[in-house]
Amino acid sequence: MSNFSSAHLPTSTQIAELRNLLRFGGFHGEIAIFRAAISAAAVDVDRYDSEIEKLPDQAELNRLISERHTLTSYIELCRSVLSPIHRLPNELLELIFGWCFPSQAYKISSTVTPEKEVERLSRFYLLELSRVCSRWSHIAMQTPQLWSDIVVDTRLWDRCPVPVGTLLDFLESSLDRGREHPLSLEVCTVSQHHSSVFNLISRHAPRWKAASIWGTDEDNVLRACIGNFGRLEKLTLAGSWKDVETFQTAPRLRELIFSGSANQLPKIPWTQIQRCGYLDYSSNSSLASRLSLLSLLTNAANVKFALYLQTSTIDEALDLNITTHIRHIQLELSTTTRTRATACQFLDNLTFPSLLSFCLHPPLHTRPPVWSSPHFLRLATRSGFAQHLIRLVVHVLATETELLRCLEALPNLKWLSIMDCTSPGASATVITDLLLQGLLSVPGSPSVITPQLHSLTLNSVLDFTDSLYVDLVASRAESKSNDEFHANLWWLETRKRDVSAGALNKIAQLMAEKRLIFNSGEWRVRFPP
């Protein structure tokens, strides 16, 4: 008979405490004490093995085996508690789970399959994490912010491998698990499903912080939400929302993006809007009605206008006199005409007395609009660009002479970005020796163009002389007394060529002297936000 019994056998309370630590986290004990307990218990396990080998009494043997099992289980629990993953605070695990968020899959996109729609509605990645252990399950299921980015594309629903009712259950579950956490919504609806989806998301209107809706509220389901958008800050709408009052009261709304015809605009608290994007590639509304939107944006700082201009639209007679204190404007012009007709004559109807940044370019991979220096110069004179315009970005069909004439009117310009036209059939480039020569900063010359220039970005087909480009960069860098000059040169891969060693050495010298920050490489089209 053996009288041995370990003094380190845990009580049921100790076991429960350890299991709670594994389930909910929150370990704050001394690691050394746990390790000492593990070492002492391991010694007693060896003692149990020795006693079990020489004990013939079955009843006593059963007791020793049971106690040994309890002790080894206790050791494993202690080791699990001490493992790094179990010592992480719940707050840190919540952040890690948030970093697991597959953001690329949570966008309305033509590349998303019906199967992927099911995965994102069910929050499959969180369900996978929840299967690791009870603690992870608790964090994944009980952390509202992990359930507060909702993306729904009902165009895929009829092809999903689960019934529509199940998809709605998934959506409702995600919305409920988000509790009161601010909600980000991205919803694309079609007629047969829009009411059921809008009914669910409308129940959470007080949580909406950012909402993007592609489609139309055909049955006015969202009308019941009027006055409940106290958190809404950013709104994106596409479709027909003519005179809809749903979003007319939204005290925090500051950013609006609308894609559609100008005659389908909803009622919006326009005086609150600080950032606005208007995308209209249709021909369903007149140019005058589209431009009139600018007069509503009395307090907007940043505006992007994407306009589709047919030949008839370009020639449309306008009788507008719109003055707006926008500070940054991005005009994306798409035109069908392949003639030399300018697409810029509508500028004669606009005045920007506070403008800091002017950007004019086509949509990606389309032919640039034709530049008109008279129209721009009249706008510059009317608006006082000579005093306050500091950034100019242009991707247009223009001559070097035209562009230099416009730059002469912008003495305070600090950031300049010019892009060559690479469209099929383009017969001339704008970034040539003539343009670079005009931008040289000659010491002592009273007629330096853009004397305050701080940054020059060229997207070029490299139709210029390397030595002249280096002379231009050097002249600007050497004219800066304190700040480094920024030069970015991007080229088409097909036009890449070797640069002379002398030119490279001069640029390296300016960089070593901390007069120049120089970046170069394959063509990058980047427009200011």
Side-chain angles (χ1 to χ4, degrees):
M1 182 175 179
S2 173
N3 293 320
F4 174 72
S5 184
S6 174
H8 301 288
L9 284 171
T11 65
S12 58
T13 300
Q14 288 175 310
I15 294 292
E17 288 176 351
L18 289 175
R19 286 176 175 161
N20 278 335
L21 282 175
L22 293 177
R23 185 174 293 114
F24 303 113
F27 173 72
H28 302 295
E30 289 288 339
I31 294 177
I33 294 176
F34 268 77
R35 287 177 175 164
I38 291 171
S39 297
V43 171
D44 283 358
V45 169
D46 292 340
R47 175 72 183 277
Y48 275 113
D49 290 339
S50 175
E51 294 291 331
I52 288 170
E53 285 180 2
K54 60 186 181 183
L55 193 63
D57 185 282
Q58 188 62 45
E60 192 64 18
L61 184 64
N62 289 342
R63 178 186 68 81
L64 292 176
I65 291 174
S66 176
E67 289 183 1
R68 182 189 184 280
H69 175 73
T70 300
L71 200 58
T72 55
S73 297
Y74 174 65
I75 291 172
E76 290 305 313
L77 282 173
C78 288
R79 285 174 175 162
S80 293
V81 168
L82 289 180
S83 68
I85 190 64
H86 285 123
R87 299 209 313 270
L88 287 176
N90 286 357
E91 294 79 9
L92 187 53
L93 274 177
E94 290 172 8
L95 287 175
I96 293 172
F97 287 4
W99 294 333
C100 293
F101 179 66
S103 57
Q104 290 304 313
Y106 280 72
K107 297 180 184 300
I108 300 295
S109 169
S110 59
T111 62
V112 176
T113 63
E115 291 73 21
K116 290 295 183 183
E117 173 72 3
V118 175
E119 287 188 9
R120 69 184 179 189
L121 278 174
S122 65
R123 264 324 199 256
F124 182 74
Y125 83 100
L126 287 178
L127 299 179
E128 289 284 276
L129 291 172
S130 71
R131 294 188 180 105
V132 173
C133 64
S134 57
R135 181 190 177 199
W136 283 30
S137 177
H138 177 80
I139 293 173
M141 297 299 171
Q142 300 300 322
T143 304
Q145 57 263 39
L146 298 177
W147 299 86
S148 295
D149 287 277
I150 305 295
V151 179
V152 181
D153 190 347
T154 64
R155 296 174 302 177
L156 302 169
W157 281 22
D158 291 334
R159 293 183 284 126
C160 285
V162 300
V164 170
T166 302
L167 298 174
L168 289 169
D169 289 342
F170 288 155
L171 175 58
E172 184 174 18
S173 178
S174 291
L175 289 166
D176 290 343
R177 284 179 176 147
R179 298 178 194 165
E180 297 303 315
H181 193 273
L183 181 61
S184 175
L185 278 173
E186 197 167 343
V187 179
C188 183
T189 65
V190 291
S191 297
Q192 59 267 42
H193 302 306
H194 95 274
S195 291
S196 53
V197 170
F198 279 15
N199 269 313
L200 284 177
I201 63 176
S202 65
R203 300 174 194 171
H204 297 263
R207 295 174 51 204
W208 291 21
K209 184 177 181 180
S212 300
I213 302 176
W214 284 266
T216 301
D217 187 10
E218 298 174 6
D219 300 327
N220 290 320
V221 176
L222 296 180
R223 185 175 179 80
C225 303
I226 293 176
N228 290 330
F229 295 111
R231 286 182 172 178
L232 187 61
E233 298 176 1
K234 179 179 179 181
L235 179 63
T236 299
L237 295 174
S240 177
W241 294 84
K242 185 176 181 179
D243 296 331
V244 172
E245 299 177 351
T246 303
F247 306 102
Q248 192 169 15
T249 303
R252 293 188 181 181
L253 185 61
R254 297 294 182 270
E255 185 170 350
L256 173 70
I257 299 174
F258 181 78
S259 180
S261 176
N263 54 24
Q264 299 297 327
L265 285 168
K267 293 185 177 180
I268 293 290
W270 294 106
T271 57
Q272 296 175 195
I273 302 302
Q274 296 176 357
R275 296 175 64 91
C276 181
Y278 173 62
L279 317 176
D280 186 358
Y281 296 114
S282 71
S283 56
N284 296 330
S285 56
S286 67
L287 180 57
S289 64
R290 286 179 271 177
L291 292 177
S292 294
L293 175 57
L294 290 171
S295 62
L296 301 176
L297 299 168
T298 55
N299 294 310
N302 296 68
V303 173
K304 175 181 177 179
F305 252 54
L307 302 174
Y308 171 64
L309 302 179
Q310 295 178 309
T311 304
S312 58
T313 310
I314 291 173
D315 297 333
E316 182 181 329
L318 301 176
D319 185 19
L320 301 174
N321 182 15
I322 298 173
T323 298
T324 173
H325 288 272
I326 292 168
R327 298 172 69 81
H328 307 270
I329 191 161
Q330 183 178 346
L331 295 171
E332 181 180 288
L333 300 186
S334 174
T335 174
T336 57
T337 179
R338 301 186 69 83
T339 68
R340 292 297 296 180
T342 177
C344 301
Q345 63 190 46
F346 69 89
L347 295 178
D348 284 342
N349 298 271
L350 306 175
T351 304
F352 301 112
S354 304
L355 199 68
L356 300 176
S357 173
F358 182 92
C359 176
L360 179 64
H361 63 87
L364 288 175
H365 313 302
T366 63
R367 185 180 176 86
V370 177
W371 181 256
S372 168
S373 56
H375 292 301
F376 180 81
L377 288 171
R378 285 196 292 270
L379 171 67
T381 301
R382 235 179 10 258
S383 303
F385 284 177
Q387 285 71 48
H388 49 75
L389 193 76
I390 59 175
R391 181 191 295 270
L392 179 66
V393 180
V394 286
H395 183 191
V396 294
L397 291 171
T399 66
E400 307 95 315
T401 303
E402 277 188 302
L403 198 52
L404 288 170
R405 188 179 303 124
C406 293
L407 293 174
E408 288 175 351
L410 306 174
N412 285 309
L413 200 69
K414 294 184 178 180
W415 292 274
L416 174 61
S417 178
I418 305 172
M419 293 170 223
D420 272 332
C421 176
T422 60
S423 301
S427 59
T429 58
V430 66
I431 305 173
T432 64
D433 285 357
L434 179 59
L435 179 72
L436 301 187
Q437 184 71 47
L439 291 173
L440 274 171
S441 177
V442 180
S445 172
S447 58
V448 175
I449 294 177
T450 62
Q452 304 299 321
L453 196 64
H454 176 76
S455 173
L456 176 63
T457 298
L458 302 178
N459 283 60
S460 173
V461 295
L462 301 181
D463 194 11
F464 56 79
T465 305
D466 292 345
S467 59
L468 185 55
Y469 174 76
V470 173
D471 288 344
L472 164 60
V473 170
S475 72
R476 293 291 181 167
E478 290 167 354
S479 68
K480 307 293 289 183
S481 56
N482 297 317
D483 299 331
E484 293 170 298
F485 186 72
H486 292 244
N488 303 306
L489 178 61
W490 315 118
W491 56 74
L492 286 177
E493 185 63 26
T494 55
R495 298 296 295 268
K496 184 179 179 180
R497 53 180 167 76
D498 293 332
V499 180
S500 68
L504 294 174
N505 289 337
K506 180 61 175 177
I507 288 176
Q509 178 186 346
L510 290 169
M511 294 176 68
E513 295 172 353
K514 297 193 179 302
R515 295 185 179 185
L516 175 67
I517 295 176
F518 181 73
N519 298 295
S520 62
E522 191 173 345
W523 186 293
R524 302 179 185 184
V525 178
R526 294 175 178 170
F527 300 116

